[in-house]
Amino acid sequence: MSVISREDLRTILMFGVHIGKVDDTFDVWEKQILKRFADAINLSQEERGDIAEQEISLRHGLDSLSSAEARNLLIKTLCAVSYADGNTHPRELEFIEKVITRAGATVMVLPREEWGLYEKEIFDDLQQFA
């Protein structure tokens, strides 16, 4: 995963916060995954505050990712956060579909009922940042 930069990880986390809030309910399970992500990449409290307050543009955010691996991690993260509360909202699905289309990612997205598997994959990948 060395082709994913720290800035990529910050961008992915911003997208994660966005998907958590897109249905107007930022669930405790969604927050828990995002906190684990922030912990895994050793974000400071100041960085966490900055990310929580920033708005992200789909186009700008995707264009700033440095590699296909970063885009794939983004998609897995969005799916995992969306699935975390057990209820994937239509607005979350719409956003994920936009990201997949725009990113041209090479991830073969699992069926929605299996999106919980992405959580383990994400944190296995992030172990190198601990």
Side-chain angles (χ1 to χ4, degrees):
M1 198 163 103
S2 60
V3 294
I4 298 177
S5 71
R6 182 160 176 82
E7 197 55 39
D8 290 335
L9 294 169
R10 290 174 47 90
T11 299
I12 291 166
L13 188 56
M14 280 190 270
F15 271 98
V17 170
H18 178 78
I19 196 83
K21 293 178 178 180
V22 79
D23 63 355
D24 299 322
T25 306
F26 200 11
D27 186 88
V28 66
W29 300 109
E30 295 167 333
K31 290 177 186 176
Q32 182 178 15
I33 287 178
L34 296 169
K35 181 188 179 311
R36 284 183 60 208
F37 191 106
D39 290 346
I41 64 172
N42 299 310
L43 274 185
S44 70
Q45 288 302 321
E46 183 179 333
E47 289 174 305
R48 291 171 198 234
D50 290 345
I51 286 172
E53 293 175 10
Q54 286 183 352
E55 293 288 324
I56 189 154
S57 146
L58 177 63
R59 185 183 53 114
H60 174 69
L62 288 174
D63 289 348
S64 73
L65 294 176
S66 65
S67 65
E69 290 82 1
R71 288 185 290 279
N72 290 341
L73 181 61
L74 168 63
I75 291 167
K76 289 179 184 180
T77 301
L78 293 177
C79 292
V81 172
S82 173
Y83 187 80
D85 62 0
N87 181 28
T88 303
H89 192 277
R91 279 190 251 160
E92 293 171 331
L93 289 174
E94 181 182 322
F95 184 74
I96 291 168
E97 288 172 9
K98 284 181 185 177
V99 169
I100 290 169
T101 300
R102 173 99 174 125
T106 58
V107 167
M108 175 69 110
V109 178
L110 295 171
R112 197 173 340 149
E113 61 274 3
E114 295 178 31
W115 283 4
L117 298 173
Y118 286 134
E119 185 173 351
K120 181 181 179 337
E121 285 184 36
I122 291 163
F123 292 108
D124 286 349
D125 288 347
L126 292 177
Q127 282 183 1
Q128 75 174 4
F129 295 96

